[in-house]
Amino acid sequence: MATELAAHELPKQYDHSQAQSRWYPFWLERGYFHSEPDPDRQPYTIVIPPPNVTGALHLGHALNNSLQDILIRWRRMQGYNALWMPGTDHAGIATQAVVERRLLEEEKKTRHDLGRAALVERIWRWKDEYETRILSQLQQLGCSCDWQRTRFTLDPQCVRAVRHTFFGMFKSGLIYRGTRLVNWDTLLQTAVSDDEVTHETVAGHFWHLRYPVIDPKPGEPAFVSIATTRPETMLGDTAVAVHPDPEQALAAAERALGEKLASASEKERAGLERELQQLVERRRALLPHLIQLRDMALAGRKVRLPLVNREIPLVADVWAKPELGSGCVKITPAHDPNDYEVARRQQLPMINILNPDGTLNENAGPYAALRIAKARERVVADLEAQGLVESVEDREIELAHSDRSKTPIEPYLADQWFVKMEDLSQSAMDAVTDGRVKIVPGRYARGYLDWLSEKRDWPVSRQLWWGHRIPIWYAPTASEADLKRAFAGRADVVWRRDDENEGWLICAQEVDLSEDAIPGHKIEQEVDVLDTWFSSALWPHSTLGWPEQTPELQYYYPTSTLVTNRDIMTLWVARMVLTGLFNVGDVPFREVYIHPKILDGYGEGMSKSKGNGVDPLDVIESVGADSLRFSLAYLTTETQDVRMPVEFECPHCHAHIEQTKKNRVLPRIECKKCGQPFSTQWATRPEDLALARGAVVSERFELGRNFCNKLWNAARFAIMNLEGYSPGLVVPDELAIEDRWMLSRLTTVTTQCTAALEEYRFGDAARVLYDFAWNEFCSFYLEMAKPRLQDPASRANAQRILAGALDVLLRLLHPMIPFLTEEVWQRLGQLAPTRGIDELEPAAESIMIAPWPEADEARADEEIESRFARFQELLAGLREVRSRQNIPPRTPIRFSVRSVDATRDLLAPLTPYFDAMAGAHATAWGPQVAAPPAAASFVAAGAEVFVDLAGHIDLEAEVARKKKELERLASAIAGKQRQLANENFVSRAPAAVIEKERAALAELEQLRATTEAALAAAEGSPGAK
RNA sequence: GGGCGGCUAGCUCAGUUGGUUAGAGCGCCAUCCUCACACGGUGGAAGUCACAGGUUCGAGUCCUGUGCCGCCCACCA
């Protein structure tokens, strides 16, 4: 490798792909990523949020994993025994859905054509392919996961953990089976949990229907009016409800509104008053009618359900709110959650009108086999034909959609499995309230606690084939005696009576039961699988070997930090906490860090379906993993999501084309610059696919790219100047001013960066390093090192400090920029294998395992930093004069400085640097310095500086500028004077603040005096007109 | 309907416990291909800190209200 690393071969631009392909295998080979329990060291552990094996990683993953890697690398350097546990999630519904969709598109087959075993087999193949791809993406990102420990939520170890958990919960009575109304996905034909449902507002209708009263008595209405947004569900109606005490209910509603009005703001008042008015009106118009209907209900009267001609009762139930609609409500127990509750209270039959695939079943009579949308049309038409549609309104309705299949959700009655959440939820709430788990930022704790406090039972069964099959067996024909006999002496089998259905539920801990496990009876395993989150919930302990008390579990558990996205706080984080407590008896992690979300330029979340996603590999390819990681860290601030306008990059001319809502879904786009077309992720037609693909990029990564390139060149400079380096400590007396300044700054920066990482302030850490590296290390330190490196007398020491400082900077940057820092570290190691500032040490064989820099407070030197600030101020002033006067950079200028002796003593020694860095030569320093005849002057660092403009000047500009400057000073002085004249300010503000103001005023006045003098001089000088 | 976050330069964002001339990157203007870096150097222009009140000697920062944007939660026919 030595020849490869020769300094003269260093390219001007950082070659990220070379560094990446060189160092990742090196790290792997050295086993740096691997961790073993070691009682002598403290562990630092992160379990990865396992990505779904549905597809490739997106930018959100890149952010999530970059941050984890930053933490892991940093802690590893700090000396912790760092373990990053990697793996992937089988993602039940999501994965099965993509594979099924492919199956349908490519082979026109459904899962039923294939059968369970064959489908699952296919999904495994899919999983293998995508898992490989995902893990490779993580590696390209530079993630230092312990790959030897890679897990998958459906691998044998996780299966075992799931089985033990289910068994344990079943045995504790936490698991039950029941017929419940669930969110039914008719495409995937499975129940989904509330959390997998999203509500979208769509344009719909509100139908007012009439159900004829059977044998109306005189004075009774002929119809009962009801309203619905889903008319086809009337086929499953089993009652019409009216409030049992409409008078009281209306009165209560009025009272509530009145109270609200009393405490309402002016603005709300009008609306509320109107509302109240309507309510009063309503009571007048509707109440007698509702009372009549209530009486009819109590008398057991019935109405005729049109179309299916079913007689259904009028019932009195509080669910029917008299203040809404017609005051009556149709009851469809099998297809509406509220109606379901009503039916249970009123003991009404429940009629399911749907097949699992979303077509209507035989209960729908003539409408059987129709799809819902079609049935709706027909039902409405038929009702209209019979004059039973009173009116139709347009209305926006909230429609539930399945998050996975994007199809509308149907409430559907089905047998499902549940976990009782009462105690489990409480345990997870306690863990956060008592601080065993700390959530950062703290505001996210609220959502977590609110969600858990509802303690809603967790529906864990899914009607899928891909997942952990529920370890329950049914023995319909067996008696308890049979069970006792068959499983005598087996601690790994328990059974319980099914509370809601006939028969026994048998749960087996680890080994499947065979068909003939009970002699003389046939038993069958439950066909449903478990919710994906059931296995993900176990991730922190299942990956460490639970239920076995492995050394890993004992050593690494509880893990240190969980880094995740706020979207899955409840679904995943809360459940990890409660299963961890249930299974292991301790929380799964000490801290949860919630990072921002990546949004596009419109503030919308990125997703594949919207087409606004950025593929991290595109970014890595164009700017490198380091740039990506650094940019992401830089963007990770505490309160803001990351907004990222995205662009297409033309594959032909590399022009960037803004991505809009319009063009982001096009299969092909024509480059605005070169006119050539390119394809996008939406390309499906062969002629589109044949085009070169345009990457989706964002210019926000240029920050990282530019920074990496800057660092690279700084390193290149250092390396080119380390020829002949000889190790040695520099005694303090021999330290140059800039050395002492640099060491002082390094100390401060180390402190700041470390503190930022400790508090998960990644953006701050990145900013501190960026500003320091660019504006101090490069712009000043390296510039000032140049002359010293040329001079044989100072060269050796300059090299030593340069090598030592670069060494520290690289280590600080390594967690964010692993590849570049390693590349430089290795090259630096060749030229300066032994280096250091406080003591000489051989450099670590890899920066990955080098120690994290420690701040040496003794190096912090305020005096030198303030001296440096004055130098910088003076330098900036000189440069400004040059620029203002349009003096070409190469033309030397001369200046003199009038100041007190102290300032002179401080700055005069830096004279050579003004030459080198501003092309400005100091001709005189001190109190006696007089202004040259034609000069540009300014005040900096408490000194008056005169730039001799003889020869090349625009004095007029100088005069104009001075005048403007005086105006500014006048207004600033006036402001200060006003403030200091303010009685209140002087009497109430702290003395220090007043003192500061006085000093500032004095300084301004002084400045005005010198400026006026300079103006007079300029106006009186020969060049002025 | 409830909750959370945001609103600071053309764009994307920082802004410590309130302290008086509000910062950065990109973009823009001028200038320089000077021997680490044009993915660069130097200088510059650019802001009524969403709006309205309030607290305070002093508010981008604290309080109240309003508006707009985004997200999460919620069973309303």
Side-chain angles (χ1 to χ4, degrees):
Chain A
M1 207 165 278
T3 49
E4 276 178 61
L5 297 181
H8 60 85
E9 282 180 10
L10 288 181
K12 274 190 172 187
Q13 282 187 11
Y14 167 52
D15 183 344
H16 54 262
S17 67
Q18 222 181 65
Q20 284 162 213
S21 55
R22 182 180 292 155
W23 300 114
Y24 202 85
F26 171 78
W27 295 329
L28 268 180
E29 188 188 298
R30 299 292 167 112
Y32 298 148
F33 300 167
H34 183 60
S35 168
E36 283 291 334
D38 174 359
D40 295 334
R41 294 166 67 206
Q42 233 189 310
Y44 180 83
T45 312
I46 293 180
V47 290
I48 200 170
N52 292 351
V53 287
T54 39
L57 300 186
H58 56 252
L59 212 50
H61 289 112
L63 172 65
N64 177 253
N65 290 295
S66 293
L67 299 182
Q68 290 176 75
D69 198 43
I70 289 167
L71 290 174
I72 280 284
R73 283 180 186 268
W74 165 57
R75 293 297 193 184
R76 191 184 285 123
M77 288 174 81
Q78 278 192 325
Y80 287 89
N81 185 356
L83 168 64
W84 187 6
M85 174 73 73
T88 50
D89 194 308
H90 71 281
I93 296 183
T95 312
Q96 185 170 324
V98 272
V99 174
E100 277 194 68
R101 197 183 314 137
R102 266 249 293 241
L103 187 66
L104 192 65
E105 278 167 11
E106 290 172 10
E107 302 172 39
K108 307 272 178 257
K109 284 184 185 163
T110 71
R111 66 163 128 151
H112 301 284
D113 297 330
L114 236 62
R116 185 163 188 151
L119 184 84
V120 168
E121 163 63 30
R122 286 215 189 203
I123 305 177
W124 273 105
R125 263 187 276 150
W126 172 278
K127 172 258 170 184
D128 289 340
E129 185 187 335
Y130 279 91
E131 181 180 59
T132 308
R133 190 160 153 182
I134 286 165
L135 299 183
S136 140
Q137 281 182 301
L138 290 174
Q139 292 174 350
Q140 290 184 65
L141 224 132
C143 295
S144 57
C145 304
D146 188 350
W147 300 111
Q148 296 176 40
R149 298 185 183 277
T150 307
R151 301 246 69 88
F152 175 57
T153 53
L154 218 46
D155 70 17
Q157 187 172 315
C158 291
V159 166
R160 189 155 176 260
V162 164
R163 291 288 294 260
H164 277 253
T165 306
F166 192 93
F167 183 82
M169 288 181 168
F170 184 83
K171 208 172 158 186
S172 313
L174 293 176
I175 287 193
Y176 66 92
R177 178 175 179 244
T179 308
R180 295 288 183 281
L181 204 59
V182 293
N183 304 304
W184 191 259
D185 182 323
T186 56
L187 185 76
L188 300 169
Q189 300 190 29
T190 176
V192 298
S193 72
D194 290 346
D195 313 295
E196 291 161 321
V197 171
T198 54
H199 294 270
E200 283 170 47
T201 306
V202 297
H205 301 282
F206 199 46
W207 283 271
H208 296 265
L209 307 179
R210 288 173 169 165
Y211 291 176
V213 173
I214 294 174
D215 302 330
K217 296 193 174 119
E220 282 184 357
F223 299 100
V224 177
S225 293
I226 53 92
T228 180
T229 54
R230 297 164 59 210
E232 72 287 357
T233 60
M234 58 84 59
L235 300 169
D237 284 1
T238 58
V240 170
V242 61
H243 197 280
D245 190 352
E247 182 160 25
Q248 177 271 325
L250 277 171
E254 276 174 41
R255 251 197 326 276
L257 208 51
E259 271 165 33
K260 209 166 153 195
L261 195 56
S263 63
S265 68
E266 202 115 337
K267 182 115 192 199
E268 297 163 321
R269 194 165 289 267
L272 285 174
E273 271 167 7
R274 200 166 341 117
E275 221 175 296
L276 189 58
Q277 187 59 42
Q278 283 169 359
L279 207 52
V280 172
E281 176 64 21
R282 181 182 187 84
R283 181 177 52 177
R284 198 182 54 71
L286 206 58
L287 187 57
H289 173 62
L290 292 179
I291 290 174
Q292 184 180 30
L293 288 176
R294 188 267 320 274
D295 293 341
M296 287 166 69
L298 294 179
R301 302 293 303 284
K302 296 189 169 180
V303 297
R304 180 167 304 282
L305 189 64
L307 309 184
V308 284
N309 278 325
R310 188 156 64 232
E311 292 187 3
I312 58 174
L314 272 169
V315 297
D317 191 280
V318 291
W319 167 240
K321 306 267 160 53
E323 66 270 25
L324 293 175
S326 67
C328 297
V329 59
K330 67 197 265 303
I331 303 297
T332 320
H335 300 287
D336 182 287
N338 298 305
D339 296 0
Y340 176 76
E341 293 304 321
V342 174
R344 288 184 67 155
R345 278 200 293 273
Q346 305 287 342
Q347 315 232 309
L348 297 169
M350 305 191 183
I351 298 179
N352 183 355
I353 59 164
L354 280 181
N355 289 313
D357 65 357
T359 57
L360 271 57
N361 65 21
E362 66 283 0
N363 290 332
Y367 305 93
L370 293 177
R371 301 212 67 87
I372 290 163
K374 192 77 193 161
R376 176 171 302 174
E377 272 175 41
R378 291 262 191 97
V379 163
V380 169
D382 292 348
L383 285 170
E384 262 170 359
Q386 297 185 23
L388 295 175
V389 177
E390 210 166 78
S391 61
V392 187
E393 298 170 41
D394 287 334
R395 180 188 259 218
E396 299 218 311
I397 48 177
E398 290 280 296
L399 193 57
H401 278 81
S402 166
D403 201 31
R404 287 298 162 204
S405 69
K406 308 297 172 199
T407 52
I409 285 291
E410 298 300 331
Y412 182 79
L413 209 51
D415 279 341
Q416 300 291 336
W417 289 87
F418 297 87
V419 176
K420 281 187 189 156
M421 293 299 281
E422 181 73 34
D423 295 342
L424 292 173
S425 288
Q426 189 59 50
S427 71
M429 290 170 73
D430 293 345
V432 165
T433 41
D434 68 19
R436 275 173 294 157
V437 173
K438 185 180 163 203
I439 295 174
V440 184
R443 75 185 114 96
Y444 291 113
R446 159 112 67 134
Y448 170 98
L449 293 172
D450 284 353
W451 185 82
L452 280 171
S453 70
E454 292 187 20
K455 300 184 176 177
R456 277 197 266 182
D457 287 351
W458 176 12
V460 288
S461 49
R462 296 290 182 276
Q463 290 65 46
L464 299 171
W465 292 348
W466 174 243
H468 295 266
R469 192 158 167 182
I470 293 180
I472 288 284
W473 282 261
Y474 301 104
T477 56
S479 67
E480 185 164 25
D482 293 331
L483 299 182
K484 275 187 179 153
R485 212 172 309 121
F487 304 120
R490 286 186 66 169
D492 67 330
V493 178
V494 293
W495 58 88
R496 236 193 18 249
R497 198 79 196 156
D498 188 342
D499 294 334
E500 295 188 23
N501 301 285
E502 288 300 296
W504 295 97
L505 304 173
I506 307 162
C507 184
Q509 186 176 37
E510 204 168 318
V511 185
D512 285 353
L513 299 180
S514 62
E515 244 182 34
D516 51 5
I518 306 172
H521 300 275
K522 203 176 158 194
I523 69 170
E524 276 178 14
Q525 189 177 356
E526 167 65 56
V527 294
D528 287 359
V529 302
L530 287 164
D531 178 10
T532 304
W533 297 106
F534 195 93
S535 52
S536 323
L538 313 180
W539 191 244
H541 58 277
S542 66
T543 51
L544 291 171
W546 187 89
E548 237 41 71
Q549 282 300 314
T550 57
E552 279 82 0
L553 189 66
Q554 286 162 11
Y555 181 73
Y556 297 111
Y557 193 96
T559 66
S560 312
T561 305
L562 181 81
V563 178
T564 188
N565 183 318
R566 74 176 99 92
D567 295 351
I568 50 178
M569 269 302 276
T570 52
L571 291 176
W572 190 46
V573 179
R575 285 165 182 165
M576 278 192 286
V577 175
L578 60 89
T579 63
L581 289 165
F582 182 79
N583 282 339
V584 192
D586 201 349
V587 295
F589 26 71
R590 301 287 180 212
E591 298 193 341
V592 179
Y593 169 66
I594 308 287
H595 58 71
K597 233 179 132 157
I598 298 195
L599 309 173
D600 69 4
Y602 299 100
E604 297 176 7
M606 288 188 173
S607 74
K608 215 166 182 174
S609 51
K610 270 188 203 150
N612 56 356
V614 175
D615 182 345
L617 289 187
D618 282 351
V619 182
I620 290 174
E621 197 184 315
S622 72
V623 299
D626 289 325
S627 305
L628 170 63
R629 293 167 58 118
F630 188 82
S631 301
L632 289 173
Y634 192 90
L635 294 171
T636 300
T637 55
E638 212 231 321
T639 51
Q640 286 274 111
D641 281 334
V642 176
R643 193 180 285 227
M644 188 168 285
V646 292
E647 295 152 348
F648 292 105
E649 187 180 56
C650 170
H652 313 294
C653 69
H654 301 285
H656 285 190
I657 297 144
E658 191 194 345
Q659 191 184 70
T660 61
K661 287 189 186 188
K662 249 185 197 161
N663 71 14
R664 74 188 185 192
V665 291
L666 300 176
R668 74 149 71 191
I669 289 173
E670 244 170 49
C671 175
K672 281 183 196 155
K673 196 166 155 211
C674 68
Q676 294 185 71
F678 58 85
S679 68
T680 73
Q681 62 156 326
W682 301 103
T684 48
R685 296 183 308 176
E687 61 266 39
D688 292 336
L689 285 167
L691 298 168
R693 199 175 87 87
V696 176
V697 298
S698 173
E699 68 174 24
R700 304 211 63 191
F701 295 114
E702 285 171 16
L703 173 104
R705 180 198 61 182
N706 294 353
F707 182 56
C708 286
N709 196 244
K710 185 74 179 177
L711 285 171
W712 173 251
N713 278 289
R716 190 164 158 251
F717 168 82
I719 287 163
M720 293 193 314
N721 283 285
L722 284 176
E723 196 86 5
Y725 168 90
S726 66
L729 284 180
V730 183
V731 295
D733 288 350
E734 289 177 24
L735 285 174
I737 296 166
E738 58 270 30
D739 288 338
R740 284 160 61 200
W741 170 73
M742 180 46 41
L743 298 181
S744 176
R745 293 295 304 136
L746 268 177
T747 293
T748 311
V749 163
T750 300
T751 306
Q752 289 174 341
C753 178
T754 308
L757 289 177
E758 270 162 6
E759 292 161 29
Y760 304 104
R761 289 183 285 113
F762 296 94
D764 286 345
R767 250 165 265 270
V768 162
L769 295 176
Y770 181 98
D771 291 342
F772 170 73
W774 200 305
N775 300 326
E776 300 186 309
F777 187 78
C778 291
S779 295
F780 282 90
Y781 190 66
L782 292 187
E783 288 307 320
M784 295 173 85
K786 282 177 183 174
R788 297 165 66 207
L789 288 163
Q790 300 309 318
D791 182 352
S794 53
R795 182 172 166 90
N797 275 353
Q799 285 178 325
R800 288 166 187 162
I801 302 295
L802 175 59
L806 180 60
D807 175 296
V808 175
L809 178 59
L810 289 172
R811 282 185 283 142
L812 289 171
L813 285 163
H814 176 73
M816 296 188 192
I817 303 179
F819 295 109
L820 187 151
T821 49
E822 182 72 286
E823 178 79 28
V824 175
W825 184 266
Q826 296 295 337
R827 291 174 189 267
L828 186 62
Q830 299 211 319
L831 287 157
T834 301
R835 55 187 185 254
I837 287 163
D838 293 314
E839 45 192 309
L840 285 178
E841 276 181 292
E845 64 172 13
S846 160
I847 192 170
M848 254 196 82
I849 54 166
W852 182 250
E854 301 231 1
D856 177 1
E857 288 310 322
R859 295 278 185 206
D861 188 336
E862 267 187 51
E863 190 274 326
I864 207 85
E865 289 199 24
S866 89
R867 182 169 172 190
F868 218 81
R870 294 189 199 195
F871 162 68
Q872 289 172 314
E873 197 185 335
L874 217 156
L875 191 70
L878 291 166
R879 283 168 168 173
E880 195 197 326
V881 169
R882 174 184 288 285
S883 168
R884 196 196 320 140
Q885 288 288 338
N886 282 319
I887 304 168
R890 291 195 141 151
T891 310
I893 55 176
R894 299 150 64 82
F895 70 101
S896 51
V897 181
R898 178 155 67 204
S899 73
V900 295
D901 290 335
T903 306
R904 177 198 56 200
D905 295 345
L906 230 46
L907 296 178
L910 294 164
T911 297
Y913 294 122
F914 293 108
D915 286 297
M917 298 174 71
H921 187 71
T923 53
W925 295 85
Q928 311 306 331
V929 168
S937 69
F938 61 94
V939 173
E944 234 178 311
V945 184
F946 308 103
V947 179
D948 189 346
L949 296 182
H952 42 246
I953 318 323
D954 186 350
L955 262 186
E956 234 175 305
E958 224 27 52
V959 167
R961 192 183 147 273
K962 283 275 181 284
K963 285 185 171 160
K964 200 174 157 200
E965 171 74 1
L966 279 172
E967 277 174 36
R968 188 188 68 85
L969 282 170
S971 88
I973 287 168
K976 289 263 185 266
Q977 281 170 338
R978 248 195 324 276
Q979 183 171 17
L980 283 164
N982 183 336
E983 195 55 38
N984 279 326
F985 175 68
V986 181
S987 62
R988 300 198 196 188
V993 172
I994 296 170
E995 207 33 62
K996 212 174 119 198
E997 287 306 301
R998 291 223 168 95
L1001 176 60
E1003 204 173 301
L1004 285 169
E1005 281 169 337
Q1006 172 65 31
L1007 192 53
R1008 177 164 65 179
T1010 57
T1011 308
E1012 274 167 348
L1015 177 60
E1019 280 177 329
S1021 76
K1025 289 174 194 161

